[in-house]
Amino acid sequence: MGEGYWAGAPSAVAADGLIYLAHRLRRPVGQGRGYAVVAARSADGERFETLTTVTREQMDAESLERPSLVRLPDGRWRLYLSCATTGTKHWRVEAADPAAFDCRRRSRG
């Protein structure tokens, strides 16, 4: 990597004895900004197993911004993604189950 690349804007939830984490991967502004979101889980909070990586191309977005993980009352999960619509100043929010993320079955909010 190099200067201007970083991972951050995290969202974390403790559930079922595990820690779930979603974070954004970012490039320098002229090279694609928020290019992916990673959802992962850990038993110890130090070593994380990747559940899924969602790219801006999969979401048909110019950039992905801070994700948010939410545990629903029925035990299901939602991964909310803030997506910049290409060529506009419009933002949209998409949601899906992070462990079984399927870009074809997302819902727009």
Side-chain angles (χ1 to χ4, degrees):
M1 297 279 169
E3 190 173 318
Y5 288 84
W6 54 270
S11 173
V13 176
D16 303 325
L18 298 170
I19 299 167
Y20 292 83
L21 174 71
H23 64 278
R24 173 177 62 150
L25 301 177
R26 186 162 169 127
R27 296 181 186 137
V29 173
Q31 296 178 32
R33 296 178 22 213
Y35 67 94
V37 165
V38 176
R41 70 178 163 211
S42 172
D44 63 10
E46 293 183 27
R47 292 174 294 279
F48 284 82
E49 165 195 7
T50 298
L51 297 173
T52 192
T53 300
V54 180
T55 67
R56 69 185 190 139
E57 291 82 12
Q58 289 174 301
M59 300 308 295
D60 191 26
E62 185 174 325
S63 181
L64 299 175
E65 298 301 319
R66 186 185 185 277
S68 183
L69 280 173
V70 176
R71 181 79 182 261
L72 302 174
D74 66 6
R76 292 179 303 135
W77 288 90
R78 284 288 177 256
L79 171 63
Y80 291 93
L81 300 173
S82 180
C83 305
T85 304
T86 305
T88 73
K89 293 182 186 252
H90 177 259
W91 286 86
R92 67 184 193 274
V93 174
E94 306 252 3
D97 180 334
F101 192 85
D102 182 348
C103 294
R104 296 165 299 182
R105 298 183 62 202
R106 63 190 196 249
S107 60
R108 292 187 177 186

